[in-house]
Each structure stands twice: as structure tokens, then as C-alpha cells.
Amino acid sequence: MSARLVDALKRLAPQLIALAVILALNAAVSRGFFDIQFQNGRLYGSLIDVLNRGAPVAILSIGMTLVIATRGIDLSVGAVMAICGAVGASLIAGGYSLPATLAATIGIGLICGLWNGALVALLDIQPIIATLILMVAGRGIAQLVTEGVILTFNDASFIFIGSGAALGLPMPVLIWVALGIVVALLVRSTALGLLIEAVGVNRRASSLAGVDSRSLLLAVYATSGLCAAVAGIIAAADIKGADANNAGLWLELDAILAVVIGGTSLLGGRFSIIGSLIGAMIIQSVNTGILLSGFPPEFNLIIKAAIIVVILVVQSPASRSLWTFVRPERRREPRQVERVAR
Amino acid sequence: MKNWKLSAGAALIASLVATSAMAAGMTVGFSQIGSESGWRAAETSVTKQEAEKRGVDLKFADAQQKQENQIKAIRSFIAQGVDAILLAPVVATGWDQVLQEAKEAEIPVVLLDRQIDAPDSLYLTAVTSDQVHEGKVAGDWLVKEVGDKECNVVELQGTTGSSPAINRKKGFEEALAGHDNIKITRSQTGDFTRTKGKEVMESFIKAEGGGKNICALYAHNDDMAVGAIQAIKEAGLKPGTDIKVVSIDAVPDIFQAMANGEANATVELTPNMAGPAFDALEKFKADGTEPKKWIQTESKLYTQSDDPMKVYEEKKGLGY
């Protein structure tokens, strides 16, 4: 077990180092970044903000990781967030109970995911196009649900999901950590993960080998829809309202980025949910760091892009081989090279 | 029609009755951008109300944020031979051709809410707010409110580079000029959304000693202020008291916050752009009076003493 843990840490070393460097940079630009107090029954501080604000992208990245592992992509998650937020807000504002609202909202997310899955698995439409349909249409559907306004609600139990706290941590943090652990265990302690990777490497070959790739793809896209529904509920509960225009806007891109930073290949066949979650935290650390730094907002996107370019360049295969090239003495000991480079 | 009879019966001043009578029977085409925001939905419903009040037959066309749809709508209004056209332009450029056609058909065009890059001979007038002035009204309120006390202000800007963000910032800074006790210590974009407003305010509070060093928040729109108010509350501070909140737009939700004492002031971006436009059109149709090329709408300041709950009830039904 401990050997497996060491192995996992080794594999995630680039992501963990990147996260540590970004956090150190944040501490440099903002004094008291690591200060954590206990206030109003929960931990309170910038570090907690990173965990909390990163929740939507972290949750989306869980589903996105599985989709990308099958060599697919899900562009619709941001729009599905908006739909689910709108549905949740209108139900809770309409007087339905919390369990009924949550069940209906998550059900809608699953249906959205199954729609994508059906286009990809049954009709063999390329994932980027199949999910683009819902990405475009979804925001319109969400606006139909909210009738073009920001739909507000005052139900304390629903709001609790977005801004409440339990065990000293904000609810969104608990939700993404729990969801990440459950999904990671589900795919890694069973053969499910292996089958998903098999479909990603070569769908036809895995079908011939007896993998039910259709059901698997449907399940994977449905999971992504479910994750989007959970993220949508959190986003709506956080601001006590469903904003169909802006909820989840561009978050599909952040989720894809988190997955890529996390070391999952867009070519499918290899994935790491924990890596994606760390990737989501890296992105949010950059965002929070920029906000805390006090730089003028005109620089926000440039800084973010520059940091991400650095991370991706450092992680790229080419720079790994360059690393072995500039350290020739390591080339003679291939095993050590492997350890340093990874 | 019923409304008109009622108001006439209520013995309004004679001139008003005269212009109402003039407007009655006028057919006006209205090309609206779409329904991108709550404010625009309110503008649409107020325009319809104003038209009904004056007995104007309003032909409404929703362009779904596309200029080509607006151009098509204007051409169809010209073909139908309307008396006037209201245009809320989605972009600033590319209007010369179609406005020329309207001019040749002798149909006056009034721009609502936004200006365009075209010779001003092509339209009758433009009815818009002055965004710099809006920022200044907000700033003036703060200057008066804090007096001589030291005050550190944090600012939630609109989408970086958008004209309301640039102008509302400029106007606010103009109002603060010469009052060295009030300083903007942090300024960051919240993209005009609640979510970002909340997130950015959280970081402001962390960066400014748990919010102790912040005396006031200036948000470029109410939605960001509503998000920020939640962040202030979650940090264990009282919005409206510990941190004063002033913003712009006057959407219904901010009035609810003001009624709860959680927001202090808002500057109205009135959704009633059509009222002044109809007034100008009526005068123009009656005796050919050319209005000024720019009609500035009022930027009214609302505070907690303006019975926010009543305004909330009034605004709620407008589709914000």
C-alpha cells in the first residue's frame, strides 16, 4: 500500500511541485496567504478560498477526466451547469422540497450527459461536435427556464450547499473531495478504469476484445453530466440565484485545462483523477493569487496565460528529453534519469 | 386607449393632452438587441408600457444579438411605412447604409441606450445615459457620506475594457478628486457577475486585514454588489455599516438589500429610454422641432431613505 502511495506521489510530482511553486508565489505577493483562522464555525483564509472557489472546476474536471480518457471531450459542461442551476433555482423557488429539487436537478444533468453519450456512442458523432450542440443550445435552454432573469431564492437548506460549512470546511470543498474520492475509488479499485482506458486507446479493438464500449461511453458522458449538475447546484447556491447568462461560462475550458495540467492525455488511454483535481487547484491558485496581488485587472489574463504556458512547457515530453540532454552525466544512469525527469 | 381617456379625464395640463393626442395613432417600429440581461428585458417592457400609455402602435422586433437581424427589421419597418423607428444598436458600426434608406423614406430614427459610429445626420437623436456621470453621482454620494473621515474604497470593475467599466471608473475618480481622505486601495474586475463579485470581494477582504481596512465598496453594477454583500456577510462583517456599499444600475435586488440595510446607495440606469424618445418624436412630428443629437437620461440616486421596498415592488414586474 505504501509502495503504491510512493508510486502515485512520484507520478504526480510535476503537478504537486507546480502547485507548491504557485502557492509560494501567492504567499510572496500577498502576506498572510497561509493564515487560517477559525471563524463562524469554519476555517477561514485565502487557502480555504482556493479550495472553495475551485470547487466547480474541480467537480467538472472529475467527469471531464473520464470523458477525455475515452479520447472524447465534453464542451457542454458549462452550459449544463447553467441549465441545472436554473432548474434547481426554479424548483426550490417554486416551493419543492430540497430532496426533490436535488433529485430532479441531478436527473436533468444525467439526461444531458446521456444525450451527449448517445450522440457519441450510438450515432458515432465526433465528441467535439456532439457536445458542441448542447454547449450552444444549453445556455438558451437555461434562459428559457429562468425567463431571462437572475432567478433568486431564499431556501436556507439549498443555500447551505453553496455557502454552508460542515466539519470546519465549506460545503463545496467537502463535496468535491468526496466526489473525487468516490469516483477515483470506483474506477481504480475495479476494472472500470482499465476498460475506460482501453476504449480510449482503441475503441474498435476493445469492442472486439469484449468491452461493451457503447454502455461505457454512455456511462462516462452521463457521469460528466452528473458532475456538471453538482457544479451547477453549487454555483447557484453560492450566489442564491441562477444566472443563466454567466453560470459556468467558459468553465468547460478551465476543466479541460485542469485535466491536461493533471497529466491526462487528450489522446485518451491514460488518466488520473487526482491529477485533474490538483490541476483544478493550480488554476484556482493562480486566479486567487492574481486577485490578491492587487495588479490592475488588465493583466489578469496575461499572467494566467504566462503561468500556464510555463507549467505546460515544463511538463512537455520535449522539455523532459532536453533536461536529460543538458545533464549528460545522468544519461549514463537511465534509471535515475527516469526518476528525475518524472 | 383606455389609459389615454383616463388621463385626459383627470384634467392633466393642456399641453400634455395635446401631445398625447398627437402621439396617438403613430406607428413606431422598435428594433431591440435581444434579451442579454435583466436590464434589457426591463427596457423592452417599459418601452411597451410607454407606447401603450401614449397610444402608440409599437411594432417590436427582437434581433437576438445579431446586427443582420436588426438591419432586416429596419428594412421591414421601412417597407411597412412606419412613422418612426427606435433602434437599440447591438454594435457601433455598419449602420450607414440602412439608416440612409430610412432617411430617404423620411422615417426618423431614434437610437436608444447606445451611440453608433455614423454621421449624426442619419438619425434624429440618441437617448442614452451618461456613464461617466453615473460614476460621478456614486462618487459624490460617497464623498458626502464620509465627510472628512479617512476612507479606503475597494472597487469592483465591470468587464475589463468595456465602455461602462471605463466610464464608470472615470466618473467615480472625478468625484473623488480633491478629497484626499478617500482613496481607492484595490480595484479588480468582477465581470459584471454575482459570482465574480463575490469571489473578488472575498479576496479584497483577505488582502485588507480581514476587511478592517475597507470603509466602502464601489461596484460598477448592482449584481456584483449583491455578490460582494454575501462575501462581506460570510466574513462576519455587516455590509452597509462596516463596509458601505454603493453601486450602479438600480436593479430590484439591490433595493431588497437596501431595505435590509445591507446596501447604501445605487445610481439608476433608467430602463425608460423610450419615454424621452417618444417625447422628442412627438415634438418633431408636431412642428418639426429638431431635438438635440443627444438626449441624456437622468441618473437618479437612490439611498436607504427612498423607501427601497416600494421601489422594489415597482421594479419587480418589469422583467429585470
Side-chain angles (χ1 to χ4, degrees):
Chain A
M1 190 64 205
S2 74
R4 266 182 76 184
L5 191 73
V6 172
D7 237 30
L9 279 178
K10 246 189 239 169
R11 246 185 307 117
L12 293 171
Q15 284 79 24
L16 289 170
I17 291 168
L19 183 60
V21 170
I22 305 262
L23 291 177
L25 278 177
N26 283 355
V29 293
S30 144
R31 261 179 299 128
F33 180 78
F34 289 112
D35 290 358
I36 291 179
Q37 296 136 9
F38 197 77
Q39 190 175 319
N40 299 335
R42 75 172 180 99
L43 294 170
Y44 184 86
S46 295
L47 214 50
I48 306 295
D49 276 358
V50 171
L51 294 172
N52 193 16
R53 290 285 145 221
V57 171
I59 291 169
L60 292 180
S61 75
I62 295 170
M64 189 69 80
T65 308
L66 299 181
V67 170
I68 287 179
T70 66
R71 206 174 193 166
I73 202 147
D74 189 349
L75 295 180
S76 72
V77 288
V80 174
M81 266 181 80
I83 296 175
C84 293
V87 169
S90 62
L91 288 179
I92 206 83
Y96 288 89
S97 71
L98 183 69
T101 303
L102 292 183
T105 308
I106 287 173
I108 297 280
L110 282 173
I111 291 172
C112 291
L114 283 172
W115 160 264
N116 287 330
L119 292 181
V120 173
L122 306 181
L123 301 181
D124 277 333
I125 299 175
Q126 287 182 341
I128 197 166
I129 298 301
T131 56
L132 189 70
I133 296 169
L134 196 55
M135 176 189 176
V136 176
R139 220 157 269 286
I141 296 171
Q143 276 173 352
L144 284 179
V145 175
T146 62
E147 292 169 349
V149 304
I150 297 181
L151 207 61
T152 54
F153 48 85
N154 282 312
D155 184 90
S157 56
F158 194 73
I159 292 167
F160 185 80
I161 298 171
S163 44
L167 310 170
L169 283 170
M171 281 301 286
V173 181
L174 295 173
I175 293 171
W176 77 253
V177 170
L179 200 62
I181 291 173
V182 167
V183 176
L185 280 180
L186 194 71
V187 294
R188 285 308 183 194
S189 65
T190 66
L192 211 53
L194 192 67
L195 299 181
I196 289 172
E197 287 176 337
V199 171
V201 173
N202 189 329
R203 187 177 159 192
R204 182 172 295 171
S206 56
S207 290
L208 290 173
V211 178
D212 184 355
S213 64
R214 279 192 176 167
S215 312
L216 208 57
L217 282 172
L218 277 174
V220 161
Y221 281 90
T223 310
S224 183
L226 180 138
C227 290
V230 175
I233 291 170
I234 289 176
D238 182 40
I239 57 164
K240 305 179 192 174
D243 185 346
N245 275 318
N246 299 305
L249 194 62
W250 310 127
L251 284 197
E252 58 278 345
L253 299 182
D254 270 4
I256 294 168
L257 186 63
V259 172
V260 171
I261 291 178
T264 298
S265 163
L266 283 178
L267 296 175
R270 190 180 75 133
F271 73 93
S272 161
I273 287 180
I274 307 296
S276 301
L277 292 176
I278 297 173
M281 289 307 112
I282 290 176
I283 294 174
Q284 188 56 41
S285 305
V286 173
N287 288 342
T288 304
I290 291 170
L291 294 181
L292 288 169
S293 67
F295 287 126
E298 289 79 2
F299 291 101
N300 288 7
L301 300 175
I302 304 273
I303 299 172
K304 190 175 171 185
I307 292 173
I308 285 162
V309 164
V310 171
I311 294 173
L312 293 179
V313 165
V314 170
Q315 284 185 19
S316 69
S319 67
R320 274 181 205 170
S321 44
L322 188 72
W323 187 240
T324 45
F325 181 74
V326 296
R327 309 276 302 266
E329 78 277 13
R330 305 236 179 227
R331 256 190 292 180
R332 271 172 251 129
E333 302 164 86
R335 284 192 60 211
Q336 205 178 344
V337 169
E338 184 74 359
R339 206 172 296 155
V340 171
R342 293 207 127 203
Chain B
M1 263 337 253
K2 200 172 164 198
N3 268 347
W4 172 73
K5 275 181 195 156
L6 271 179
S7 56
L12 278 173
I13 43 172
S15 65
L16 189 66
V17 178
T19 52
S20 297
M22 206 73 73
M26 194 156 70
T27 305
V28 177
F30 175 28
S31 172
Q32 174 64 291
I33 293 177
S35 51
E36 69 203 352
S37 65
W39 182 85
R40 200 154 291 284
E43 184 191 37
T44 301
S45 47
V46 171
T47 303
K48 287 177 178 165
Q49 281 174 10
E50 286 288 323
E52 201 183 352
K53 204 161 79 188
R54 293 155 198 262
V56 170
D57 179 16
L58 190 76
K59 294 191 182 301
F60 179 73
D62 182 330
Q64 300 182 329
Q65 356 283 344
K66 287 211 177 81
Q67 185 178 28
E68 67 245 42
N69 290 346
Q70 292 204 292
I71 291 175
K72 263 187 237 157
I74 295 172
R75 293 217 166 107
S76 104
F77 290 147
I78 296 172
Q80 292 169 39
V82 296
D83 298 308
I85 293 171
L86 303 182
L87 168 65
V90 62
V91 291
T93 52
W95 299 103
D96 302 47
Q97 167 94 39
V98 72
L99 291 185
Q100 188 63 41
E101 289 168 28
K103 194 177 175 173
E104 278 158 16
E106 292 183 351
I107 299 172
V109 175
V110 179
L111 305 178
L112 294 191
D113 160 50
R114 295 184 187 180
Q115 299 276 5
I116 58 171
D117 290 337
D120 64 7
S121 59
L122 290 179
Y123 54 87
L124 183 68
T125 180
V127 184
T128 72
S129 69
D130 181 346
Q131 292 165 338
V132 178
H133 181 64
E134 288 165 357
K136 193 164 181 309
V137 171
D140 285 339
W141 173 83
L142 188 69
V143 166
K144 220 172 109 198
E145 176 78 11
V146 296
D148 298 330
K149 278 179 290 186
E150 289 291 315
C151 185
N152 289 339
V153 182
V154 295
E155 180 182 32
L156 283 171
Q157 296 185 29
T159 308
T160 309
S162 68
S163 67
I166 295 166
N167 293 332
R168 286 173 176 180
K169 183 175 174 59
K170 188 171 156 217
F172 189 76
E173 282 167 355
E174 277 174 17
L176 262 50
H179 298 273
D180 295 337
N181 55 325
I182 306 175
K183 282 195 296 285
I184 299 177
T185 49
R186 281 186 181 262
S187 182
Q188 181 53 261
T189 176
D191 284 339
F192 286 130
T193 68
R194 289 185 188 210
T195 314
K196 283 283 280 176
K198 186 173 179 185
E199 178 178 354
V200 175
M201 192 64 202
E202 279 175 359
S203 75
F204 281 166
I205 292 171
K206 303 285 177 345
E208 295 291 334
K212 284 192 287 291
N213 305 334
I214 304 174
C215 127
L217 161 73
Y218 167 50
H220 288 188
N221 80 346
D222 289 339
D223 276 330
M224 289 190 292
V226 169
I229 286 169
Q230 289 178 28
I232 298 171
K233 279 202 279 192
E234 281 168 25
L237 297 167
K238 279 206 191 74
T241 323
D242 296 331
I243 296 177
K244 295 185 202 314
V245 179
V246 54
S247 51
I248 298 178
D249 271 0
V251 304
D253 285 352
I254 200 77
F255 287 98
Q256 218 168 20
M258 284 206 280
N260 297 336
E262 293 170 353
N264 300 81
T266 185
V267 181
E268 183 177 47
L269 168 61
T270 178
N272 185 9
M273 302 271 168
F278 285 136
D279 289 343
L281 280 172
E282 281 159 11
K283 284 212 191 74
F284 180 70
K285 291 277 173 193
D287 48 18
T289 325
E290 288 257 2
K292 280 186 294 184
K293 283 294 168 189
W294 178 39
I295 299 173
Q296 183 190 342
T297 57
E298 190 191 5
S299 298
K300 193 175 170 201
L301 179 78
Y302 286 94
T303 62
Q304 288 177 355
S305 54
D306 289 315
D307 195 1
M309 236 21 233
K310 186 165 152 271
V311 186
Y312 173 72
E313 293 298 333
E314 281 167 15
K315 290 204 164 230
K316 209 173 55 175
L318 293 180
Y320 271 106

